[in-house]
Amino acid sequence: MPFLEDIDIAFIEPCVTDPGRVRLYAEPSRDLAEVLPYLNAVINHATYNKDGPSLTFMKEFRLITIYPRRITMSKVQNTTDAWQVLDWLKDLINDTYDRRGSITPVHGVRWRPTALQIYGWLPRTNCKACGEPTCLAFAVKLLLGERTPQECEPLFFPEHASLRRAFFEIVAAFGYPAPPGT
Amino acid sequence: MTDSTERWGKSVCVPGDEDREQERGSGGGLAGSMADVGIYMDNAATSFPKPEAVIEAMADFMRNVGASSGRGAYRKALEADKIVFRARQAVARLLGVADVSRVVFTANATESLNLAIKGLLSPGDHVVTTSMEHNAVWRPLKAVERTRGVTISQAPCAHDGTLDPADMEALLRPNTRLIVMTHASNVTGTVMPVAEAAAIARARGIPLLVDCAQTAGVHPIDIERLGLDLVAFTGHKGLMGPTGMGGLYIRGGLDLVPLKDGGTGGDSMLEHQPEWLPDRFEAGTLNVCGIAGLGAGVRFVLEEGVERIREKEAGLLRRLLDGLSEIPGLEVYGPRDPARQVAVVSLNVRGVPAEEVASRLDREYGIMVRAGLHCAPCAHRTIGTIQRGAVRISLGYFNTEGDVDRCVEALAGIARAAG
């Protein structure tokens, strides 16, 4: 029997900010309070509020907040997308719960660099190769978990080796492992 | 029992219907008893009987849910959403698709093929297909030939329906925009070299559309491993669902022009069809009752296992082919090899029209098969039966060895009488 058997969508409506997308809330079949600090440790870019408690993070373009008895999601493409992400989340929660013995729970808010700080450790070429208009925009997306360091091509140019090492020391703090050979 | 025994015909040895039902084995319960209807061997048209779970899922939806999916925030509407998602997810799992949203529901394989063909081809495009296709492929191609000036090349297949992929490759041109082929012929059962065709298509960057009407649920299909671009399937054959349900897999990054535009639910502010799947191709209220049945059918197939289903059908097919080979005066078409075909066999009894054979099988022996051209004149031209058609026997997972034996005996009787 898994820790969490089901998550059911309880309410769905068009997004306030984006009429092409939907927001919803869903109800887990059991209380999630005890697993939140473990999820906080596992989801690298999450923000944890222990007084709520609640855990907020981005899954690509979707904003997800987990409360003990409720999960909210906004900017979801459609119900198919919602169910698919909720299935992924259920598996993540069950996997995290199963592995909790080997995970150090994080009860506090982790230190996170600001977008400007990350920007400072990027090559700042504004090359647009990552798909973002500027390096600052890339830094913001990185913080939100919508981009990965590997998408910054110039960062991996030989001339940026020392910058790259410093960059990965910093981003390791919010969970991105440095690629081999960095 | 007396009634049904009479229906089998006096000349055929008929064990008790109870024994036959036991032999049939359902592995999950059957809706309706075959004893009530005779021996059904038209599974290439529609599978019968259906797993009991299919009827239960549809009845439960009609009785207890009833709402449209994607059209409301109340719990029953959300329940309908979930039924639709779980069915889509089951299909994706069965066909080897990771992203559930790439599976789009349609009314049948024909609609799926129309969506793919008409949604992709533009004036001046060239398309390559085979000489074994069903009209569900051939007619949409002829339509875009007439309306859009699309040109068509047909790769010739052998008399047993087999295709040499090199013959298909030789037809490709710089403006070839699509390759369309069946996965298995609905006339001869011949399984086509889809993996080889996919490799050829991939090397040239040409999308490959596969018609899986005869294979989904009865023959393994691993869409992402094979790298297929477009896969049309129907819900009421090997997937064990009701009629009026089908679908199309569309590879990520491949866009089609929707066949229909209209309401899709929550994104009403948009003036055009949304770009994201599956909504882009699912305008209008969905057949949620049908989807509930399809979902239950696919879950049944997943639980039984496609390999097990294929193994059982191959065993029955072997028995049928062996039996037919003993009957003088029969012409049997196709590969006559269970390893190279699904459980579909076409044949003729020398000197007896196909329609008469089918009619006598039904009236005198209670065996249901289909005669004629099976909506596939291309295939009948290829195997040499375009003038006379053929009798098609298509076995299903719920047929028994006893059914097969009675069919062989019946055909032997008809052939002997024609003598």
Side-chain angles (χ1 to χ4, degrees), chain A residues 108-138:
Chain A
V109 178
R110 274 178 298 185
W111 175 83
R112 290 163 63 82
T114 65
L116 267 178
Q117 284 171 314
I118 290 179
Y119 175 68
W121 293 305
L122 288 171
R124 284 173 283 171
T125 57
N126 286 330
C127 69
K128 301 182 177 62
C130 62
E132 297 297 336
T134 63
C135 294
L136 185 57
F138 177 78

Side-chain angles (χ1 to χ4, degrees), chain B residues 14 28 63 184 209 310:
Chain B
V14 182
R63 267 195 205 102
L209 164 60
R310 170 138 175 87

Side-chain angles (χ1 to χ4, degrees), chain B residues 381-410:
Chain B
R381 200 168 284 120
T382 301
I383 67 171
T385 49
I386 187 67
Q387 296 302 330
R388 57 199 291 215
V391 177
R392 182 183 70 182
I393 301 165
S394 49
L395 307 174
Y397 187 51
F398 298 121
N399 279 125
T400 66
E401 291 184 350
D403 293 345
V404 169
D405 293 348
R406 268 184 294 282
C407 179
V408 169
E409 287 163 24

